[in-house]
């Protein structure tokens, strides 16, 4: 992979919309209700598919409780992804069929269990007997058996529930084989049982309902439907749900025909009610009242046992939710306007919205949550609009009305202007268009005609001009696309296509009257989460030629230079915190270089600004490898700055720079073995640079070099100094004409070793294991101060007593110079640093936030606290580095909430924050490396998302209040 020049970074600035809130979650509105269950007392349970909620109503229609977040589809233990059905077991516990799982709740809505269990990874769509793939039906019989309609697997799974948890019993249908005979189903829908234990299955794609009986095994036969789609008295059109009353009458929600049928057990059927927009399920109350969930009308309607309407029981006809001026429902595309505003294409909300630079809603077009295709309502009806909009030189906004296969054009003020396109394969026709772009050189309009597998080009007057790709032919060569989603055009007229299913970005250049395309980024046909690979959704280009690509599956925006060399990553990994993303779709960049990402599953648009005040990133993320998760201890040796990495995939790496910005790797990954998962610049002594490794297999190692150009590394310690439990060599220092090394040991406790020369075979242990306490497992705090060598231990495990500080004047006699944990067992994870004639010790504390103490004599009697509250933030749980620079002491906190913070003091008592949190990225959780080189302070971060970063402090001083 080619790497560009370091120095490009982005900081999170603001959010448009409300994170994790698609719309107000009131109970007067329902967003596509698709399943019902009524208990013995008449309480009604409603599954709201698009709303991702389960609501319980009293017989009178009062809401009793709600589970789930409105419009937020979440694969989490107590929330829903795409709920499909609801029922109850014999004990009255409520069961929900959700995406790839079933979930049990008590009658009060408290979660009891999920099946499959987490150990079996229920989030995977699988076909074995311990998993489901998007089940849509669930029912229980009187013999403690659970039936789950496992739709894409074309089967009904039966489980024994006598133990309280599902145990696989048998399968009805043939797994993975759709068919239309009595042995097969084709996309089975909801299920139900009559009083004799006969099972009814809505066999959706076969346009029938099957009835299955058990006698030494299950046999099925058609109960209703002809097997052909139709509207006749014996036909069905994509029926979905069913209900059974106390007299064993079967009610079928004939969704495609807008009706409900009522059938006797003999199979005689009549129309119970008709004229419904989209009935999806039926349930019958204890008094014989019939309730119908109308998916398309957003309501639950109530009827008497004879079919007489009793009105709307729950929801509001035609209105799924009431919008407000702050929330965005699944933003799919975004564009920046010349006045600093943002245009947002709201896919699930069926709207186009404009926000001003402050985040206030300026205008909106469309009816919230309601799709439409009426040609009399151009500009006010949309159907699943998708992809980035485009803005021409006149300020007109072009939007893909995807579900309606057309492009709608709006004025800068949001007024409808015109429409072009219709469904089809002709030059002026589209099939599910998504992103748009305008060529800045001549005004040409580029339309991503996604389902036609092409990009169509029109002049600014909308006259057809050219086609990129081949109509209706997906392919992976340079002449074809496969599900192209987004398009952008740079200042030179070159076209960039987010070729989603091919997992690449193509760059196309006009040659004569046609375009020639080559791969610009990504690897054709290969998915991955390293920087080489993409699952692109949209693409944008800034005014200096940088290319921005939303990598939806990896929850990030990848940035490349004009040549396709990787520059940096915005976002990543999956997350809901500010700056993180979940399934980003659209991306835009304004004239100032600010980047806007449509963070689809978080229901927000996030803005990022280039650069960080007071600092500059001086390496490419992870030195080009995101698995270099941390830049660990750093040091200056000779005329070079050295930095080491933690890499659990290929082993720790060593990098060096002569100027602080250009880096060269100077070791083999892991020094030749991937088991050396971390390399740490442990220290310098006697003309050598020492590096310690972590190795969980055979124990840590120590390597050293004299010139350190990559050719003269020598291993001086191997196999954990004879104990494989000595897994990490942490620090090496020179003291009293000897070389000292500290190691972590999870079993017997930390060890300190020394050597007069550092040569192989000369190392001896100079402390008792764990200083007599095996809870002292970590030892990375080490410093020389006033003729003593000090170490401070980290404890973890049970019944810890807290950090211990030990010192020696001769390397063999050690004395503890504090009380355990300074009286608080939560004080652990220490760091030691001399500054201004005193020794400073930080200790992590999850209860109060980090604490800092100092002493001058340090015999145990003069420790005094200078920071006791995590600098005012309990999430500043520890300090990973302290370092003196100039006349100030710097401390870097570990903060997994908002990112590491850099604090500074001149007197040790008065501290000020001198960086923005995480350098603008909360993924920079900690600071593991620090060094002063060429008169500059350099800091290395831990970043699990995108790889460790090296930052250079540009100017001394304080962070402006406006940025804190």
């Amino acid at each position: 992979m080619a790497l560009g020049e370091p120095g490009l970074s982005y900081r999170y600035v603001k959010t448009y919309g409300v994170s994790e809130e698609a719309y107000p979650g009131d109970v007067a509105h329902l967003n596509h209700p698709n399943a019902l269950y009524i208990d013995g007392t008449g309480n009604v349970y409603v599954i709201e598919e698009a709303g991702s909620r389960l609501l319980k109503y009293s017989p009178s229609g009062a809401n009793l409780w709600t589970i789930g977040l409105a419009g937020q589809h979440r694969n989490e233990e107590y929330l829903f992804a795409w709920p499909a059905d609801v029922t109850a077991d014999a004990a009255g516990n409520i069961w929900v069929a959700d995406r790839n799982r079933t979930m049990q709740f008590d009658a009060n809505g408290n979660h009891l269990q999920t099946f499959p269990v987490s150990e079996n990874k229920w989030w995977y769509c699988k076909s074995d007997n311990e998993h489901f793939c998007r089940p849509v039906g669930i029912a229980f019989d009187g013999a403690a058996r659970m039936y789950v309609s496992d739709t894409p697997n074309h089967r009904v799974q039966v489980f024994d529930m006598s133990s309280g948890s599902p145990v696989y019993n048998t399968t009805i249908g043939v797994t993975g084989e759709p068919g239309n005979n009595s042995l097969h189903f084709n996309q089975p829908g909801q299920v139900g049982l009559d009083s004799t234990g006969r099972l009814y299955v809505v066999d959706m794609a076969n346009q029938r309902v099957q009835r299955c009986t058990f006698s030494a095994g299950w046999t099925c036969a058609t109960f209703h439907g002809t097997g052909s789609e139709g509207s006749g008295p014996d036909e069905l059109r994509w029926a979905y749900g069913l209900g059974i009353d106390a007299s064993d009458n079967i009610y079928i929600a004939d969704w495609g025909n807008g009706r409900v049928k009522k059938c006797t057990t003999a199979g005689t059927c009549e129309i119970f009610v008709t004229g419904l927009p989209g009935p999806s399920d039926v349930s019958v109350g204890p008094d014989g009242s019939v309730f119908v969930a109308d998916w398309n009308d957003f309501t639950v309607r109530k009827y008497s046992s004879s079919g007489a309407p009793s009105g709307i029981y729950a929801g509001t006809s035609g209105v799924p939710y009431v919008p407000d001026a702050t929330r965005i429902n699944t933003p799919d595309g975004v564009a920046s306007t010349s006045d600093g505003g943002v245009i947002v294409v709201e896919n699930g909300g069926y709207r186009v919205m404009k926000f001003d630079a402050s985040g206030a809603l300026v205008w909106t077009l469309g009816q919230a949550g309601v799709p439409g295709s009426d040609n009399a309502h151009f500009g006010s009806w949309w159907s699943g609009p998708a992809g980035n909009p485009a803005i021409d030189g006149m300020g007109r906004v072009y939007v893909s009305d995807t579900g309606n296969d057309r492009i709608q054009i709006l004025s800068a003020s949001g007024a409808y202007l015109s429409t072009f396109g219709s469904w089809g394969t002709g030059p002026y026709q589209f099939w599910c268009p998504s992103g748009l772009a305008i060529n800045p050189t001549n005004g040409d309009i580029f339309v991503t005609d996604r389902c036609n597998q092409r990009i169509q080009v029109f002049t600014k007057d909308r006259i057809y001009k050219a086609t990129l790709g081949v109509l209706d032919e997906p392919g992976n060569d340079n002449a074809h696309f496969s599900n192209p989603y987004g398009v952008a055009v740079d200042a030179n007229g070159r076209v960039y296509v987010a070729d989603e299913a091919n997992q690449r970005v193509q760059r196309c250049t006009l040659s004569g009257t046609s375009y020639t395309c080559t791969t610009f980024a990504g690897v054709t046909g290969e998915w991955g989460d390293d920087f080489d690979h993409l699952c692109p959704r949209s693409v944008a280009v800034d005014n200096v030629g940088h290319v921005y690509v939303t990598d939806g599956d990896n929850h990030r925006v990848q940035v490349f230079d004009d040549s396709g060399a990787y520059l940096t990553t915005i976002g990543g990994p999956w997350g809901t915190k500010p700056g993180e993303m979940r399934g980003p779709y659209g991306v835009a960049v304004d004239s100032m270089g600010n980047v806007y990402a449509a963070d689809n599953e978080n229901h927000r648009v996030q803005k990022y600004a280039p650069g960080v005040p007071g600092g500059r990133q001086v390496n490419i993320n992870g030195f080009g490898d995101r698995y270099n998760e941390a830049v660990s201890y750093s040091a200056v040796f000779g005329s070079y700055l050295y930095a080491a990495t933690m890499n659990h995939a290929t082993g720790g790496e060593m990098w060096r720079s002569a100027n602080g910005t250009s880096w060269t790797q100077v070791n083999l990954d892991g020094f030749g073995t991937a088991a050396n998962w971390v390399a740490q610049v442990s220290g310098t002594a006697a003309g050598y640079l020492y590096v310690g490794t972590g190795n969980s297999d055979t124990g840590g190692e120590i390597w050293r070099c004299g010139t350190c150009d990559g050719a003269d590394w020598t291993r001086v310690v191997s196999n954990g100094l004879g104990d494989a439990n000595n897994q990490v060599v942490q620090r090496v220092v020179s003291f009293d004409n000897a070389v000292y090394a500290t190691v972590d040991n999870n079993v017997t406790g930390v060890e300190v070793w020394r050597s007069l020369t550092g040569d192989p075979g000369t190392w001896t242990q100079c402390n008792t294991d764990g200083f007599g306490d095996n809870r002292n497992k970590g030892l990375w705090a080490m410093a020389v101060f006033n003729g003593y060598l000090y170490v401070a231990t980290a404890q973890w495990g049970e019944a810890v007593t807290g950090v211990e500080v030990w010192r020696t004047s001769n390397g063999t006699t050690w004395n503890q110079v504090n009380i355990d944990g300074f009286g608080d067992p939560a004080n652990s994870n220490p760091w030691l640093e001399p500054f201004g004639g005193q020794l400073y010790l930080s200790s992590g504390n999850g209860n109060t936030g980090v604490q800092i103490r100092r002493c001058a004599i340090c015999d145990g009697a003069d420790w005094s606290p200078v920071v006791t509250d995590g600098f005012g933030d309990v999430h500043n749980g520890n300090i990973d580095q302290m370092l003196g620079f100039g006349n100030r002491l710097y401390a870097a906190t570990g903060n997994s909430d908002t990112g590491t913070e850099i604090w500074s003091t001149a007197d040790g008592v008065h501290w000020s924050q001198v960086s923005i949190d995480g350098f603008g990225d909360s993924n920079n959780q900690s600071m593991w490396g620090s060094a002063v080189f060429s008169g500059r302070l350099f800091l290395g971060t831990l970043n699990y998302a995108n790889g460790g970063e090296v930052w250079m402090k540009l100017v001394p001083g304080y962070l402006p209040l406006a940025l804190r």
Side-chain angles (χ1 to χ4, degrees):
M1 176 184 64
L3 301 178
E5 289 295 317
L8 185 64
S9 60
Y10 290 86
R11 66 185 188 275
Y12 164 78
V13 175
K14 67 173 299 165
T15 291
Y16 302 81
V18 180
S19 179
E20 301 184 83
E21 292 187 20
Y23 47 81
D26 66 313
V27 297
H29 296 81
L30 299 173
N31 197 349
H32 292 312
N34 64 325
L36 302 170
Y37 167 73
I38 304 177
D39 65 22
T41 61
N43 295 313
V44 181
Y45 299 79
V46 181
I47 285 289
E48 189 189 22
E49 183 185 34
S52 206
R53 298 189 297 176
L54 169 63
L55 304 98
K56 180 179 180 179
Y57 295 90
S58 72
S60 65
N63 180 257
L64 301 177
W65 51 251
T66 300
I67 306 172
L69 298 175
Q72 184 75 327
H73 306 286
R74 296 284 287 271
N75 280 322
E76 295 178 26
E77 197 72 46
Y78 307 108
L79 301 173
F80 299 119
W82 288 94
D85 198 12
V86 58
T87 191
D89 59 24
N93 295 311
I94 305 302
W95 286 79
V96 175
D98 191 36
R99 182 167 59 184
N100 304 335
R101 61 181 173 177
T102 59
M103 303 170 72
Q104 184 191 40
F105 302 85
D106 67 20
N108 294 318
N110 299 305
H111 178 263
L112 299 177
Q113 65 173 311
T114 294
F115 179 83
V117 296
S118 295
E119 289 79 2
N120 283 342
K121 299 180 179 178
W122 49 256
W123 45 89
Y124 287 131
C125 173
K126 292 186 176 182
S127 60
D128 60 80
N129 291 327
E130 297 300 317
H131 289 86
F132 305 116
C133 187
R134 300 190 299 279
V136 302
I138 186 169
F140 289 82
D141 67 13
R145 287 179 295 209
M146 179 175 74
Y147 301 79
V148 179
S149 180
D150 192 13
T151 305
N153 284 323
H154 307 292
R155 65 186 183 182
V156 175
Q157 294 288 82
V158 186
F159 298 87
D160 185 343
M161 295 295 299
S162 57
S163 67
S165 296
V167 176
Y168 172 74
N169 177 274
T170 192
T171 295
I172 309 172
V174 181
T175 299
E177 288 187 12
N180 59 9
N181 58 27
S182 61
L183 299 177
H184 291 79
F185 301 115
N186 191 350
Q187 298 182 40
Q190 291 189 5
V191 293
L193 294 113
D194 65 19
S195 61
T196 66
R198 292 178 293 191
L199 176 70
Y200 296 79
V201 182
V202 179
D203 194 8
M204 294 190 293
N206 280 325
Q207 314 296 339
R208 66 186 182 182
V209 174
Q210 293 287 87
R211 181 164 66 187
C212 306
T213 58
F214 183 82
S215 178
W218 287 95
T219 58
C220 301
T222 298
F223 170 74
H224 183 69
T226 64
S228 297
E229 178 182 352
S231 58
D234 295 325
E235 292 178 317
L236 299 171
R237 177 172 282 126
W238 289 98
Y240 180 85
L242 58 78
I244 302 175
D245 67 17
S247 300
D248 283 343
N249 294 307
I250 295 92
Y251 298 79
I252 304 170
D254 189 8
W255 186 86
N257 286 316
R259 65 191 181 184
V260 173
K261 289 186 171 183
K262 179 180 179 180
C263 306
T264 67
T265 55
T268 302
C269 298
E270 62 182 13
I271 304 300
F272 179 74
V273 64
T274 191
L276 300 172
S280 53
D281 198 17
V282 188
S283 191
V284 183
D287 64 352
S289 297
V290 180
F291 294 76
V292 178
D294 196 325
W295 194 86
N296 276 345
D297 191 49
F298 314 110
T299 56
V300 174
R301 294 182 175 269
K302 183 178 180 180
Y303 300 86
S304 71
S305 58
S306 63
S310 300
I312 294 175
Y313 171 79
T316 303
S317 179
V319 182
Y321 56 86
V322 176
D324 61 18
T326 59
R327 292 171 174 82
I328 305 170
N329 190 350
T330 56
D332 199 286
V334 63
S336 64
T337 61
S338 59
D339 60 0
V342 179
I343 304 290
V344 179
V345 173
E346 189 191 36
N347 180 264
Y350 305 106
R351 296 184 296 175
V352 178
M353 315 166 77
K354 180 179 178 180
F355 296 87
D356 66 18
S358 72
L361 183 64
V362 178
W363 53 256
T364 182
L365 284 177
Q367 186 174 352
V370 182
S373 59
D374 187 350
N375 289 342
H377 294 85
F378 285 133
S380 60
W381 289 101
W382 306 87
S383 182
N388 282 342
I391 302 175
D392 68 15
M394 303 291 291
R396 294 172 296 197
V397 182
Y398 297 70
V399 181
S400 293
D401 189 3
T402 305
N404 289 322
D405 305 303
R406 63 193 182 191
I407 307 302
Q408 300 208 50
I409 306 174
L410 315 175
S411 72
S413 62
Y416 168 73
L417 296 177
S418 60
T419 296
F420 75 99
S422 61
W423 181 85
T425 59
Y428 294 95
Q429 295 178 312
F430 309 112
W431 185 13
C432 64
S434 48
L436 293 129
I438 304 290
N439 187 336
T441 65
N442 59 11
D444 282 354
I445 304 164
F446 291 75
V447 180
T448 307
D449 192 8
R450 178 159 43 109
C451 296
N452 278 325
Q453 311 297 336
R454 65 184 179 180
I455 308 294
Q456 293 208 67
V457 189
F458 303 86
T459 69
K460 62 182 179 180
D461 298 316
R462 302 202 299 273
I463 297 172
Y464 171 76
K465 187 173 183 179
T467 291
L468 288 71
V470 180
L471 173 65
D472 201 29
E473 283 188 14
N476 60 12
D477 60 20
N478 286 330
H480 291 78
F481 304 119
S482 184
N483 198 46
Y485 204 99
V487 62
V489 186
D490 68 16
N492 296 312
R494 295 175 298 186
V495 182
Y496 298 80
V497 179
D499 193 11
E500 183 184 28
N502 279 326
Q503 293 156 331
R504 66 187 183 186
V505 172
Q506 294 288 89
R507 182 160 70 184
C508 307
T509 304
L510 185 63
S511 177
T513 59
S514 61
Y515 285 85
T516 301
C517 303
T518 58
T519 297
F520 173 79
V523 180
T524 301
E526 288 186 14
W527 184 91
D529 59 3
D530 56 27
F531 296 148
D532 279 328
H533 292 82
L534 297 165
C535 183
R537 295 257 168 77
S538 290
V539 60
V541 187
D542 67 15
N543 54 17
V544 296
H546 293 155
V547 180
Y548 303 78
V549 183
T550 53
D551 185 8
D553 285 1
N554 291 313
H555 315 290
R556 64 192 183 186
V557 174
Q558 297 287 80
V559 188
F560 304 90
D561 70 14
D562 179 74
S563 70
Y566 169 78
L567 291 175
T568 192
T569 295
I570 307 172
W574 184 100
T576 61
K577 294 186 296 186
E580 296 179 334
M581 302 182 195
R582 293 198 305 135
Y585 276 57
V587 63
V589 57
D590 65 21
S591 60
M592 302 298 293
N594 298 303
V595 178
Y596 304 81
D599 189 9
N600 184 273
E601 295 175 27
N602 279 325
H603 304 290
R604 64 190 180 187
V605 171
Q606 298 198 83
K607 178 180 178 180
Y608 305 83
V612 172
R616 178 191 173 200
Q617 186 179 343
V618 293
N619 76 323
I620 293 289
N621 300 338
F623 298 102
D625 182 353
R626 62 161 296 205
Y627 297 113
N628 280 324
E629 297 169 332
V631 174
S632 54
Y633 303 140
S634 308
V636 175
F637 182 66
S639 57
Y640 291 94
L641 172 64
Y642 288 81
T645 74
M646 177 176 72
N647 188 313
H648 287 88
T650 58
E653 300 172 7
M654 286 295 305
W655 291 77
R656 77 175 184 181
S657 174
N659 59 11
T661 58
S662 300
W663 296 85
T664 302
Q665 187 175 353
V666 291
N667 78 323
L668 296 174
D669 292 0
F671 294 98
T673 173
N676 282 324
W677 54 269
V678 66
Q680 305 196 117
V681 182
S682 298
T684 61
Y688 291 101
L689 176 69
Y690 285 82
V691 175
T693 76
N695 189 312
S696 302
D697 295 339
T698 59
E701 303 175 354
I702 299 177
W703 293 73
R704 72 179 183 185
C705 58
T707 62
C708 303
D709 58 1
D712 69 331
W713 288 104
T714 301
R715 183 168 57 186
V716 297
V717 165
S718 61
N719 299 325
L721 296 143
D723 182 355
N725 293 313
N726 283 328
Q727 294 188 353
V728 185
V729 176
Q730 290 282 3
R731 300 295 303 279
V732 173
V733 301
S734 178
F735 172 70
D736 195 25
N737 298 315
V739 182
Y740 288 77
T742 65
V743 294
D744 295 351
N745 189 304
N746 254 333
V747 179
T748 57
V750 298
E751 299 177 8
V752 181
W753 290 71
R754 71 173 180 176
S755 167
L756 295 179
T757 63
D759 296 336
T762 64
W763 294 82
T764 58
Q765 186 175 349
C766 60
N767 78 319
T768 58
D769 291 355
F771 295 101
D773 186 346
N774 65 2
R775 292 171 295 189
N776 288 322
K777 301 182 186 301
L779 192 53
W780 50 84
M782 192 178 191
V784 176
F785 179 69
N786 285 353
Y788 288 93
L789 176 64
Y790 288 81
V791 297
T793 66
Q795 291 191 348
W796 53 82
E798 296 181 358
V800 297
T801 58
V803 59
E804 298 177 8
V805 184
W806 294 78
R807 76 177 185 180
T808 181
S809 60
N810 57 18
T812 57
T813 302
W814 294 86
N815 295 295
Q816 186 174 354
V817 291
N818 78 320
I819 60 172
D820 290 3
F822 297 96
D824 182 353
N827 279 321
S828 191
N829 296 358
W831 187 265
L832 289 165
E833 191 70 25
F835 174 75
Q838 302 204 57
L839 180 63
Y840 287 76
L841 179 141
S842 67
S843 55
N845 191 305
N847 299 322
T848 66
V850 68
Q851 300 179 8
I852 300 177
R853 292 170 172 81
R854 67 181 181 179
C855 58
I857 301 173
C858 305
D859 60 358
D862 68 332
W863 289 105
S864 61
V866 293
V867 175
T868 60
D869 63 350
F871 300 110
D873 182 354
V874 71
H875 294 107
N876 284 324
N878 61 282
I879 286 176
D880 292 306
Q881 295 279 307
M882 284 194 291
L883 184 67
F885 173 47
N887 62 349
R888 305 187 69 85
L889 176 65
Y890 290 81
T893 70
N895 188 315
S896 60
D897 184 48
T898 58
T900 183
E901 298 176 6
I902 313 302
W903 290 76
S904 172
T905 181
D907 60 10
V909 177
H910 301 92
W911 294 79
S912 299
Q913 188 176 351
V914 293
S915 73
I916 61 175
D917 294 1
F919 297 107
D921 180 1
S922 62
N923 290 312
N924 285 319
Q925 297 182 6
S926 301
M927 198 66 63
W928 278 19
S930 62
V932 174
F933 177 68
S934 295
R936 300 281 192 178
L937 177 62
F938 289 81
L939 302 165
T941 74
L942 166 70
N943 188 313
Y944 289 116
N946 304 310
E949 301 173 2
V950 180
W951 284 81
M952 179 177 69
K953 183 172 172 55
L954 292 177
V955 292
Y958 301 98
L959 183 69
L961 181 62
L963 291 174
R964 271 190 265 151

